[in-house]
Amino acid sequence: MKSLLLFLLFSFTLSALASDENYFYQGRHYNITYSLKASVQTIYLEGNILSDLVEDLRGFKHVGEILKPGINVELILQSGGGFQLEMDKLSQAIKKACDSKTTECRVTTRVFDMCASACIPLFMVGDLREASSSAHFGFHQAAVAPGFLRIPGVAQGSLKEKGVNRDWLKENRQMFSSLQVTWLLPSEMQGSDIVTKIIP
């Protein structure tokens, strides 16, 4: 009887550890998916994250709330950016759940297609940052909103703070003097420390 109880307890523990979890939310300008499978948390963000004033961010915020501490995170991005402060909230939630300095877990970020503007600092949250060889990264000067009031220095400062190479930012400062987006492939960003691995 005792061995049966131990077996049941062991089976229950294993099933709890292996339990999968799925969540999907469709906003007006974005879709966000969360899944927990085989001890990996995967977040897929497609679309632009705007402010609370113009977007329902319940789904976006909920993903930050349901992240489990100490479990590897994969963040897949296909985004033209949006509001930096909103992107930073998800970045901070991921760091809190999986800080490689204090836990065994690791964050991997991936771009297969496009990551522009405020998406790039979010991409930088990864310990490993992978991008398809055909992926496009878009850079431009920061603005309060698309087409409005430019904010000189903010885009470079945010990228510098997230770990982008300072010399590379200086060499490419012309990209940050216009609201028009400059698109670069991973192979064109050598020395930036943005992409750590180019994948097929």
Side-chain angles (χ1 to χ4, degrees):
M1 184 67 177
K2 186 177 178 182
S3 60
L4 177 61
L5 285 171
L6 285 171
F7 173 76
L8 288 172
L9 180 62
F10 180 70
S11 299
F12 177 79
T13 304
L14 277 181
S15 67
L17 287 171
S19 65
D20 295 348
E21 201 172 305
N22 294 288
Y23 171 77
F24 172 77
Y25 184 85
Q26 183 172 9
R28 285 174 54 209
H29 299 282
Y30 72 96
N31 298 327
I32 192 159
T33 303
Y34 170 91
S35 66
L36 171 60
K37 191 172 183 180
S39 297
V40 177
Q41 303 178 89
T42 302
I43 302 166
Y44 176 51
L45 171 64
E46 178 185 19
N48 298 352
I49 300 301
L50 305 181
S51 74
D52 284 310
L53 297 175
V54 292
E55 177 66 282
D56 181 353
L57 295 176
R58 284 179 300 171
F60 181 73
K61 290 175 178 176
H62 186 57
V63 164
E65 292 163 0
I66 62 177
L67 278 164
K68 310 289 187 295
I71 300 175
N72 289 338
V73 176
E74 289 181 352
L75 175 62
I76 302 167
L77 297 164
Q78 183 176 329
S79 172
F83 278 66
Q84 183 68 56
L85 289 174
E86 298 298 349
M87 294 284 201
D88 278 346
K89 287 174 187 173
L90 181 57
S91 177
Q92 288 159 13
I94 292 170
K95 279 184 178 176
K96 186 177 178 183
C98 184
D99 183 347
S100 58
K101 293 174 186 168
T102 58
T103 67
E104 300 260 325
C105 70
R106 184 165 78 158
V107 179
T108 301
T109 49
R110 292 194 180 96
V111 172
F112 295 104
D113 184 17
M114 172 187 75
C115 181
S117 188
C119 173
I120 298 170
L122 180 56
F123 177 72
M124 293 295 295
V125 76
D127 301 304
L128 179 63
R129 300 181 293 279
E130 300 180 342
S132 162
S133 57
S134 60
H136 285 78
F137 288 79
F139 302 85
H140 67 92
Q141 186 174 34
V144 172
F148 294 96
L149 191 60
R150 302 174 183 206
I151 317 174
V154 168
Q156 301 100 305
S158 176
L159 291 171
K160 193 187 298 180
E161 182 186 302
K162 299 294 191 293
V164 176
N165 183 287
R166 292 171 182 234
D167 293 332
W168 186 85
L169 287 170
K170 274 185 196 173
E171 289 165 16
N172 292 277
R173 57 184 172 271
Q174 76 283 352
M175 294 191 304
F176 304 101
S177 61
S178 168
L179 294 179
Q180 185 175 345
V181 179
T182 299
W183 294 99
L184 297 177
L185 295 166
S187 59
E188 297 173 304
M189 298 191 298
Q190 305 254 341
S192 67
D193 297 332
I194 294 174
V195 175
T196 60
K197 184 180 181 182
I198 298 175
I199 56 178

Coordinates of all heavy atoms in Angstrom, one line a residue, residues 70-163:
G70 N 12.3 30.7 -13.5 CA 13.2 29.6 -13.6 C 13.1 28.6 -14.7 O 13.7 27.6 -14.7
I71 N 12.2 28.9 -15.7 CA 12.0 28.0 -16.8 C 12.5 28.8 -18.1 O 12.1 30.0 -18.3 CB 10.5 27.6 -17.0 CG1 10.1 26.8 -15.7 CG2 10.3 26.8 -18.2 CD1 8.6 26.5 -15.7
N72 N 13.2 28.1 -19.0 CA 13.7 28.7 -20.2 C 12.6 29.4 -21.0 O 11.5 28.9 -21.0 CB 14.3 27.7 -21.1 CG 15.7 27.2 -20.6 OD1 16.3 27.8 -19.8 ND2 16.1 26.0 -21.0
V73 N 12.9 30.5 -21.6 CA 12.0 31.3 -22.4 C 12.5 31.5 -23.8 O 13.7 31.7 -24.1 CB 11.8 32.7 -21.8 CG1 10.9 33.6 -22.7 CG2 11.3 32.7 -20.4
E74 N 11.6 31.2 -24.8 CA 11.8 31.5 -26.2 C 10.9 32.6 -26.6 O 9.7 32.5 -26.4 CB 11.6 30.2 -27.0 CG 12.6 29.2 -26.9 CD 12.4 28.0 -27.7 OE1 11.3 27.9 -28.4 OE2 13.2 27.1 -27.8
L75 N 11.4 33.7 -27.1 CA 10.6 34.8 -27.5 C 10.8 35.0 -29.1 O 11.9 35.3 -29.5 CB 11.0 36.1 -26.8 CG 10.4 37.4 -27.2 CD1 8.9 37.4 -27.0 CD2 11.0 38.6 -26.5
I76 N 9.7 34.8 -29.8 CA 9.7 34.9 -31.2 C 9.0 36.2 -31.6 O 7.8 36.4 -31.2 CB 9.0 33.6 -31.9 CG1 9.8 32.4 -31.5 CG2 9.1 33.8 -33.4 CD1 9.0 31.1 -31.8
L77 N 9.7 37.0 -32.4 CA 9.1 38.3 -32.7 C 8.9 38.5 -34.2 O 9.8 38.2 -35.0 CB 10.1 39.4 -32.2 CG 10.3 39.4 -30.7 CD1 11.6 40.2 -30.3 CD2 9.1 40.0 -30.0
Q78 N 7.8 39.1 -34.5 CA 7.5 39.6 -35.9 C 6.7 40.9 -35.7 O 5.5 40.9 -35.6 CB 6.7 38.6 -36.7 CG 6.5 39.1 -38.1 CD 5.8 38.1 -39.0 OE1 5.9 36.9 -38.8 NE2 5.0 38.6 -39.9
S79 N 7.5 42.0 -35.6 CA 6.9 43.2 -35.1 C 7.6 44.5 -35.7 O 8.8 44.5 -35.9 CB 6.9 43.3 -33.6 OG 6.5 44.6 -33.1
G80 N 6.7 45.5 -36.0 CA 7.3 46.7 -36.5 C 7.5 47.7 -35.3 O 7.8 48.9 -35.5
G81 N 7.3 47.2 -34.1 CA 7.6 48.0 -32.9 C 6.4 48.5 -32.2 O 5.5 47.8 -31.9
G82 N 6.4 49.8 -31.9 CA 5.3 50.4 -31.2 C 5.8 51.3 -30.1 O 6.9 52.0 -30.2
F83 N 5.2 51.3 -28.9 CA 5.6 52.1 -27.8 C 6.7 51.4 -27.0 O 6.4 50.3 -26.4 CB 4.4 52.4 -26.9 CG 3.5 53.6 -27.4 CD1 2.9 53.4 -28.6 CD2 3.4 54.8 -26.7 CE1 2.1 54.5 -29.1 CE2 2.7 55.8 -27.2 CZ 2.0 55.7 -28.5
Q84 N 7.8 52.1 -26.8 CA 8.9 51.5 -26.1 C 8.6 51.1 -24.7 O 9.0 50.1 -24.2 CB 10.1 52.5 -26.1 CG 11.4 51.9 -25.5 CD 12.0 50.8 -26.3 OE1 12.3 51.0 -27.4 NE2 12.2 49.7 -25.7
L85 N 7.8 51.9 -24.0 CA 7.5 51.7 -22.6 C 6.7 50.4 -22.4 O 6.9 49.6 -21.5 CB 6.7 52.8 -22.0 CG 7.5 54.1 -21.7 CD1 6.6 55.2 -21.3 CD2 8.6 53.9 -20.7
E86 N 5.8 50.1 -23.4 CA 5.0 48.9 -23.3 C 5.9 47.7 -23.6 O 5.8 46.6 -22.9 CB 3.9 48.9 -24.3 CG 2.9 50.0 -24.0 CD 2.2 49.9 -22.7 OE1 2.3 48.9 -22.0 OE2 1.5 50.9 -22.3
M87 N 6.8 47.8 -24.6 CA 7.7 46.7 -24.9 C 8.7 46.4 -23.7 O 9.0 45.3 -23.4 CB 8.6 47.1 -26.1 CG 7.8 47.2 -27.4 SD 7.4 45.6 -28.1 CE 7.1 46.0 -29.8
D88 N 9.1 47.5 -23.1 CA 10.0 47.3 -21.9 C 9.3 46.5 -20.8 O 10.0 45.8 -20.0 CB 10.4 48.7 -21.4 CG 11.6 49.2 -22.2 OD1 12.2 48.5 -22.9 OD2 11.9 50.4 -22.0
K89 N 8.0 46.7 -20.6 CA 7.3 45.9 -19.6 C 7.4 44.4 -19.7 O 7.6 43.7 -18.8 CB 5.8 46.4 -19.5 CG 5.6 47.8 -18.9 CD 4.2 48.2 -19.1 CE 4.0 49.7 -18.6 NZ 2.7 50.2 -18.9
L90 N 7.2 44.0 -21.0 CA 7.4 42.5 -21.3 C 8.8 42.1 -21.1 O 9.1 41.1 -20.5 CB 6.9 42.2 -22.7 CG 7.0 40.7 -23.1 CD1 6.2 39.8 -22.1 CD2 6.5 40.5 -24.5
S91 N 9.8 43.0 -21.5 CA 11.2 42.7 -21.3 C 11.5 42.5 -19.9 O 12.2 41.6 -19.5 CB 12.0 43.8 -21.9 OG 13.4 43.7 -21.7
Q92 N 11.0 43.4 -19.0 CA 11.3 43.3 -17.6 C 10.7 42.1 -16.9 O 11.3 41.4 -16.1 CB 10.7 44.6 -16.9 CG 11.6 45.8 -17.2 CD 10.8 47.1 -16.9 OE1 9.7 47.1 -16.3 NE2 11.4 48.2 -17.4
A93 N 9.5 41.7 -17.4 CA 8.8 40.5 -16.9 C 9.6 39.2 -17.2 O 9.8 38.3 -16.4 CB 7.4 40.4 -17.4
I94 N 10.2 39.2 -18.5 CA 11.0 38.1 -18.9 C 12.3 38.0 -18.1 O 12.7 36.9 -17.6 CB 11.3 38.1 -20.4 CG1 10.0 37.9 -21.2 CG2 12.3 37.1 -20.8 CD1 10.1 38.3 -22.7
K95 N 12.9 39.1 -17.9 CA 14.1 39.2 -17.1 C 13.9 38.7 -15.6 O 14.7 38.0 -15.1 CB 14.7 40.6 -17.0 CG 15.5 41.0 -18.3 CD 16.1 42.4 -18.1 CE 16.9 42.8 -19.3 NZ 17.4 44.2 -19.1
K96 N 12.7 39.1 -15.1 CA 12.4 38.7 -13.7 C 12.2 37.2 -13.6 O 12.6 36.6 -12.7 CB 11.1 39.5 -13.3 CG 10.8 39.3 -11.8 CD 9.6 40.1 -11.5 CE 9.2 39.8 -10.0 NZ 7.9 40.6 -9.7
A97 N 11.5 36.6 -14.6 CA 11.2 35.2 -14.6 C 12.5 34.4 -14.9 O 12.6 33.3 -14.4 CB 10.1 34.9 -15.6
C98 N 13.4 34.9 -15.8 CA 14.5 34.1 -16.2 C 15.7 35.0 -16.3 O 16.1 35.4 -17.4 CB 14.2 33.4 -17.6 SG 15.5 32.3 -18.1
D99 N 16.3 35.2 -15.2 CA 17.6 36.0 -15.1 C 18.7 35.0 -15.1 O 18.9 34.3 -14.1 CB 17.6 36.9 -13.9 CG 18.8 37.8 -13.8 OD1 19.8 37.5 -14.6 OD2 18.9 38.7 -13.0
S100 N 19.5 34.9 -16.1 CA 20.6 33.9 -16.2 C 21.7 34.1 -15.2 O 22.5 33.2 -15.0 CB 21.2 33.8 -17.6 OG 21.7 35.1 -18.0
K101 N 21.7 35.3 -14.5 CA 22.7 35.5 -13.5 C 22.3 34.8 -12.2 O 23.1 34.6 -11.3 CB 22.9 37.0 -13.3 CG 23.5 37.7 -14.5 CD 23.5 39.2 -14.3 CE 24.1 39.8 -15.6 NZ 23.8 41.3 -15.6
T102 N 21.0 34.7 -12.0 CA 20.5 34.1 -10.7 C 19.8 32.8 -10.8 O 19.5 32.1 -9.8 CB 19.6 35.1 -10.0 OG1 18.5 35.4 -10.9 CG2 20.3 36.4 -9.7
T103 N 19.5 32.4 -12.0 CA 18.8 31.1 -12.2 C 19.5 30.3 -13.3 O 20.4 30.8 -14.0 CB 17.3 31.3 -12.7 OG1 17.3 31.8 -14.0 CG2 16.6 32.2 -11.7
E104 N 19.1 29.0 -13.5 CA 19.7 28.2 -14.5 C 19.1 28.4 -15.9 O 19.6 27.9 -16.9 CB 19.5 26.7 -14.1 CG 20.1 26.3 -12.8 CD 21.4 25.6 -12.9 OE1 21.5 24.8 -13.9 OE2 22.3 25.8 -12.1
C105 N 18.0 29.2 -15.9 CA 17.3 29.3 -17.2 C 17.9 30.3 -18.1 O 18.7 31.2 -17.7 CB 15.8 29.6 -17.0 SG 15.4 31.2 -16.3
R106 N 17.5 30.2 -19.4 CA 18.1 31.1 -20.4 C 17.0 31.6 -21.3 O 16.0 30.9 -21.6 CB 19.1 30.3 -21.2 CG 19.8 31.1 -22.3 CD 21.1 30.4 -22.7 NE 20.7 29.3 -23.7 CZ 21.6 28.8 -24.6 NH1 22.8 29.2 -24.6 NH2 21.2 27.9 -25.4
V107 N 17.2 32.9 -21.8 CA 16.2 33.5 -22.7 C 16.8 33.4 -24.2 O 17.9 33.8 -24.4 CB 15.9 34.9 -22.4 CG1 14.9 35.5 -23.4 CG2 15.3 35.0 -20.9
T108 N 16.0 32.9 -25.1 CA 16.4 32.9 -26.5 C 15.4 33.7 -27.3 O 14.2 33.5 -27.1 CB 16.4 31.5 -27.1 OG1 17.3 30.7 -26.3 CG2 16.8 31.5 -28.5
T109 N 15.9 34.7 -28.0 CA 15.0 35.5 -28.9 C 15.3 35.2 -30.3 O 16.4 34.9 -30.7 CB 15.2 37.0 -28.6 OG1 16.6 37.4 -28.7 CG2 14.6 37.4 -27.3
R110 N 14.2 35.2 -31.1 CA 14.3 34.8 -32.5 C 13.5 35.7 -33.4 O 12.4 36.1 -33.1 CB 13.8 33.4 -32.8 CG 14.7 32.3 -32.2 CD 14.3 30.9 -32.7 NE 15.2 29.9 -32.0 CZ 14.8 29.2 -31.0 NH1 13.6 29.4 -30.5 NH2 15.6 28.4 -30.4
V111 N 14.1 36.0 -34.6 CA 13.4 36.8 -35.6 C 13.6 36.0 -36.9 O 14.7 35.8 -37.4 CB 13.9 38.2 -35.8 CG1 13.3 38.9 -37.0 CG2 13.6 39.0 -34.5
F112 N 12.5 35.7 -37.6 CA 12.5 35.0 -38.8 C 12.2 35.9 -40.0 O 12.6 35.7 -41.1 CB 11.5 33.8 -38.9 CG 11.9 32.7 -37.9 CD1 11.2 32.6 -36.7 CD2 12.9 31.9 -38.1 CE1 11.5 31.6 -35.8 CE2 13.3 30.9 -37.2 CZ 12.6 30.7 -36.1
D113 N 11.5 37.0 -39.7 CA 11.0 37.9 -40.8 C 11.4 39.3 -40.5 O 12.2 39.9 -41.2 CB 9.5 37.7 -40.9 CG 8.9 38.5 -42.1 OD1 9.7 39.0 -42.9 OD2 7.7 38.8 -42.1
M114 N 10.8 40.0 -39.5 CA 11.0 41.4 -39.3 C 11.0 41.8 -37.8 O 10.2 41.2 -37.1 CB 9.8 42.1 -40.0 CG 9.8 43.6 -39.8 SD 8.3 44.4 -40.5 CE 7.1 43.9 -39.3
C115 N 11.8 42.7 -37.5 CA 11.8 43.3 -36.1 C 12.3 44.7 -36.3 O 13.5 45.0 -36.7 CB 12.8 42.5 -35.2 SG 12.8 43.1 -33.5
A116 N 11.5 45.7 -36.0 CA 11.8 47.1 -36.3 C 11.5 48.0 -35.0 O 10.7 47.6 -34.2 CB 11.1 47.6 -37.5
S117 N 12.3 49.1 -35.0 CA 12.0 50.1 -34.0 C 12.0 49.6 -32.6 O 13.0 49.0 -32.2 CB 10.6 50.7 -34.3 OG 10.3 51.9 -33.5
A118 N 11.0 49.7 -31.8 CA 11.0 49.3 -30.4 C 11.0 47.8 -30.2 O 11.2 47.3 -29.1 CB 9.7 49.8 -29.7
C119 N 10.8 47.0 -31.3 CA 11.0 45.6 -31.3 C 12.5 45.2 -31.0 O 12.7 44.2 -30.3 CB 10.5 45.0 -32.6 SG 10.8 43.2 -32.7
I120 N 13.4 46.0 -31.5 CA 14.8 45.6 -31.3 C 15.3 45.6 -29.9 O 15.9 44.6 -29.5 CB 15.7 46.5 -32.2 CG1 15.3 46.3 -33.7 CG2 17.2 46.2 -32.1 CD1 15.9 47.3 -34.7
P121 N 15.0 46.6 -29.1 CA 15.4 46.5 -27.6 C 14.7 45.3 -27.0 O 15.3 44.7 -26.1 CB 14.9 47.8 -27.0 CG 14.8 48.8 -28.2 CD 14.5 48.0 -29.4
L122 N 13.5 44.9 -27.4 CA 12.9 43.7 -26.8 C 13.6 42.5 -27.2 O 13.8 41.6 -26.5 CB 11.4 43.7 -27.2 CG 10.6 42.5 -26.7 CD1 10.6 42.3 -25.2 CD2 9.1 42.6 -27.3
F123 N 14.0 42.4 -28.5 CA 14.9 41.3 -29.0 C 16.1 41.2 -28.2 O 16.6 40.0 -28.0 CB 15.2 41.6 -30.5 CG 16.1 40.6 -31.1 CD1 15.6 39.3 -31.4 CD2 17.4 40.9 -31.4 CE1 16.5 38.4 -32.1 CE2 18.2 40.0 -32.1 CZ 17.8 38.7 -32.4
M124 N 16.7 42.3 -27.7 CA 17.9 42.3 -27.0 C 17.8 41.6 -25.6 O 18.9 41.4 -24.9 CB 18.5 43.7 -26.8 CG 18.9 44.4 -28.1 SD 20.3 43.5 -28.9 CE 21.6 43.8 -27.7
V125 N 16.6 41.3 -25.1 CA 16.5 40.6 -23.8 C 17.1 39.2 -23.9 O 17.4 38.6 -22.8 CB 15.0 40.6 -23.4 CG1 14.2 39.5 -24.1 CG2 14.9 40.4 -21.9
G126 N 17.3 38.7 -25.0 CA 17.8 37.3 -25.2 C 19.2 37.1 -24.8 O 20.1 38.0 -25.1
D127 N 19.5 36.0 -24.1 CA 20.9 35.7 -23.8 C 21.5 35.2 -25.2 O 22.7 35.4 -25.5 CB 21.0 34.5 -22.8 CG 20.4 34.9 -21.5 OD1 20.8 36.0 -20.9 OD2 19.5 34.2 -21.0
L128 N 20.7 34.5 -25.9 CA 21.0 34.0 -27.3 C 20.0 34.7 -28.2 O 18.8 34.6 -28.0 CB 20.9 32.5 -27.4 CG 21.2 31.9 -28.8 CD1 22.6 32.1 -29.2 CD2 20.9 30.4 -28.7
R129 N 20.5 35.4 -29.2 CA 19.7 36.2 -30.1 C 19.8 35.7 -31.5 O 20.8 36.0 -32.2 CB 20.0 37.7 -30.0 CG 19.8 38.2 -28.5 CD 20.0 39.7 -28.4 NE 21.4 40.0 -28.6 CZ 22.4 39.9 -27.6 NH1 22.1 39.4 -26.4 NH2 23.6 40.3 -27.9
E130 N 18.9 35.0 -32.0 CA 19.0 34.3 -33.3 C 18.1 35.0 -34.3 O 17.0 35.5 -34.0 CB 18.5 32.9 -33.2 CG 19.3 32.0 -32.3 CD 18.8 30.6 -32.2 OE1 17.7 30.3 -32.6 OE2 19.6 29.7 -31.7
A131 N 18.6 35.1 -35.6 CA 17.8 35.7 -36.7 C 18.1 34.9 -38.0 O 19.2 34.5 -38.2 CB 18.2 37.2 -36.8
S132 N 17.0 34.8 -38.7 CA 17.2 34.2 -40.1 C 18.1 35.1 -40.9 O 18.1 36.3 -40.7 CB 15.8 34.0 -40.7 OG 15.9 33.9 -42.1
S133 N 18.8 34.5 -41.8 CA 19.7 35.3 -42.7 C 18.9 36.2 -43.6 O 19.4 37.3 -44.0 CB 20.5 34.3 -43.6 OG 19.6 33.5 -44.4
S134 N 17.6 36.0 -43.8 CA 16.8 36.9 -44.6 C 15.9 37.8 -43.7 O 15.1 38.6 -44.3 CB 15.9 36.0 -45.5 OG 15.0 35.2 -44.7
A135 N 16.1 37.8 -42.4 CA 15.3 38.7 -41.5 C 15.7 40.1 -41.7 O 16.9 40.4 -42.1 CB 15.5 38.3 -40.1
H136 N 14.8 41.0 -41.5 CA 15.1 42.5 -41.6 C 14.9 43.2 -40.3 O 13.9 43.0 -39.6 CB 14.1 43.1 -42.7 CG 14.5 42.7 -44.1 ND1 14.2 41.5 -44.7 CD2 15.2 43.4 -45.0 CE1 14.7 41.5 -45.9 NE2 15.3 42.6 -46.2
F137 N 15.9 44.0 -39.9 CA 15.8 44.8 -38.7 C 15.7 46.3 -39.2 O 16.5 46.8 -40.0 CB 17.0 44.6 -37.9 CG 17.1 43.2 -37.2 CD1 17.4 42.1 -37.9 CD2 16.7 43.1 -35.9 CE1 17.4 40.9 -37.3 CE2 16.7 41.9 -35.3 CZ 17.1 40.7 -36.0
G138 N 14.7 47.0 -38.6 CA 14.5 48.4 -39.0 C 14.8 49.4 -37.9 O 14.4 49.3 -36.8
F139 N 15.6 50.4 -38.3 CA 16.0 51.4 -37.4 C 15.6 52.8 -37.9 O 15.5 53.1 -39.1 CB 17.6 51.5 -37.4 CG 18.2 50.2 -36.9 CD1 18.4 49.2 -37.9 CD2 18.5 49.9 -35.6 CE1 19.0 48.0 -37.5 CE2 19.1 48.7 -35.2 CZ 19.3 47.7 -36.2
H140 N 15.2 53.7 -36.9 CA 14.8 55.1 -37.2 C 14.9 55.9 -36.0 O 15.1 55.4 -34.9 CB 13.4 55.1 -37.8 CG 12.3 54.7 -36.9 ND1 11.7 55.7 -36.1 CD2 11.8 53.5 -36.5 CE1 10.8 55.1 -35.3 NE2 10.8 53.8 -35.6
Q141 N 14.7 57.2 -36.2 CA 14.7 58.1 -35.0 C 13.4 57.9 -34.2 O 12.4 57.7 -34.7 CB 14.8 59.6 -35.5 CG 15.0 60.6 -34.4 CD 15.2 62.0 -34.9 OE1 14.6 62.4 -35.9 NE2 16.0 62.8 -34.2
A142 N 13.6 58.0 -32.9 CA 12.4 57.8 -32.0 C 11.5 59.0 -32.2 O 11.9 60.2 -32.4 CB 12.8 57.7 -30.6
A143 N 10.2 58.8 -32.0 CA 9.1 59.8 -32.0 C 8.1 59.5 -31.0 O 7.9 58.3 -30.6 CB 8.5 59.9 -33.4
V144 N 7.3 60.5 -30.6 CA 6.3 60.3 -29.6 C 5.2 59.4 -30.1 O 4.7 58.5 -29.5 CB 5.6 61.7 -29.2 CG1 4.4 61.5 -28.3 CG2 6.6 62.5 -28.5
A145 N 4.9 59.5 -31.4 CA 4.0 58.6 -32.1 C 4.4 58.7 -33.6 O 5.1 59.6 -34.0 CB 2.6 59.1 -32.0
P146 N 4.1 57.7 -34.4 CA 4.6 57.6 -35.8 C 4.2 59.0 -36.5 O 3.1 59.4 -36.6 CB 3.7 56.5 -36.4 CG 3.5 55.6 -35.2 CD 3.3 56.5 -34.1
G147 N 5.3 59.6 -37.0 CA 5.1 60.8 -37.8 C 5.0 62.1 -36.9 O 4.9 63.2 -37.4
F148 N 5.1 62.0 -35.6 CA 5.0 63.1 -34.7 C 6.3 63.3 -33.8 O 6.9 62.4 -33.5 CB 3.8 62.9 -33.7 CG 2.5 62.9 -34.4 CD1 1.9 61.7 -34.7 CD2 1.8 64.0 -34.7 CE1 0.7 61.6 -35.4 CE2 0.6 64.0 -35.4 CZ 0.0 62.8 -35.7
L149 N 6.5 64.6 -33.5 CA 7.5 65.0 -32.5 C 8.7 64.1 -32.4 O 8.7 63.1 -31.6 CB 6.9 65.3 -31.2 CG 7.8 66.0 -30.1 CD1 8.2 67.3 -30.6 CD2 7.1 66.1 -28.8
R150 N 9.7 64.3 -33.1 CA 11.0 63.5 -33.0 C 11.6 63.7 -31.6 O 11.6 64.7 -31.1 CB 11.9 63.9 -34.1 CG 11.4 63.8 -35.5 CD 12.3 64.3 -36.5 NE 11.8 64.3 -37.8 CZ 12.5 64.2 -38.9 NH1 13.8 64.2 -38.9 NH2 11.9 64.2 -40.1
I151 N 12.3 62.6 -31.2 CA 13.0 62.7 -29.9 C 14.5 62.3 -30.2 O 14.8 61.1 -30.1 CB 12.4 61.8 -28.8 CG1 10.9 61.9 -28.8 CG2 13.0 62.1 -27.5 CD1 10.2 60.9 -27.9
P152 N 15.4 63.2 -30.5 CA 16.8 62.8 -30.8 C 17.5 62.1 -29.6 O 17.3 62.4 -28.5 CB 17.4 64.2 -31.0 CG 16.3 65.1 -31.3 CD 15.1 64.6 -30.5
G153 N 18.2 61.1 -30.0 CA 19.1 60.4 -29.0 C 18.4 59.2 -28.3 O 19.0 58.4 -27.7
V154 N 17.1 59.2 -28.3 CA 16.3 58.2 -27.4 C 16.5 56.8 -28.0 O 16.8 55.9 -27.2 CB 14.8 58.6 -27.3 CG1 14.1 57.4 -26.7 CG2 14.7 59.8 -26.4
A155 N 16.4 56.7 -29.3 CA 16.6 55.3 -29.9 C 17.9 54.7 -29.7 O 18.1 53.6 -29.2 CB 16.3 55.4 -31.4
Q156 N 19.0 55.6 -29.9 CA 20.4 55.1 -29.6 C 20.6 54.8 -28.1 O 21.2 53.8 -27.8 CB 21.4 56.1 -30.1 CG 21.3 56.5 -31.5 CD 20.6 57.8 -31.8 OE1 19.5 58.0 -31.4 NE2 21.3 58.8 -32.4
G157 N 20.0 55.7 -27.3 CA 20.2 55.5 -25.8 C 19.6 54.2 -25.4 O 20.2 53.4 -24.6
S158 N 18.4 53.9 -25.9 CA 17.7 52.6 -25.5 C 18.5 51.4 -26.0 O 18.6 50.4 -25.2 CB 16.3 52.6 -26.1 OG 15.6 51.4 -25.8
L159 N 19.0 51.5 -27.2 CA 19.7 50.3 -27.7 C 21.1 50.2 -27.0 O 21.5 49.0 -26.7 CB 20.0 50.5 -29.2 CG 18.7 50.4 -30.1 CD1 19.0 50.9 -31.5 CD2 18.2 49.0 -30.1
K160 N 21.7 51.3 -26.7 CA 23.0 51.2 -25.9 C 22.8 50.6 -24.6 O 23.5 49.8 -24.1 CB 23.5 52.7 -25.8 CG 24.9 52.8 -25.3 CD 25.3 54.2 -25.0 CE 25.2 55.1 -26.2 NZ 25.6 56.5 -25.9
E161 N 21.7 51.0 -23.9 CA 21.4 50.5 -22.6 C 21.1 49.0 -22.6 O 21.4 48.2 -21.7 CB 20.1 51.2 -22.1 CG 19.6 50.8 -20.7 CD 18.3 51.5 -20.4 OE1 18.2 52.7 -20.4 OE2 17.4 50.7 -20.1
K162 N 20.6 48.5 -23.8 CA 20.2 47.1 -23.9 C 21.4 46.2 -24.3 O 21.3 45.0 -24.4 CB 19.1 46.9 -24.9 CG 17.8 47.6 -24.5 CD 17.2 47.0 -23.2 CE 15.8 47.5 -23.0 NZ 15.7 48.9 -22.6
G163 N 22.6 46.9 -24.7 CA 23.8 46.1 -25.0 C 24.3 46.2 -26.4 O 25.2 45.5 -26.8

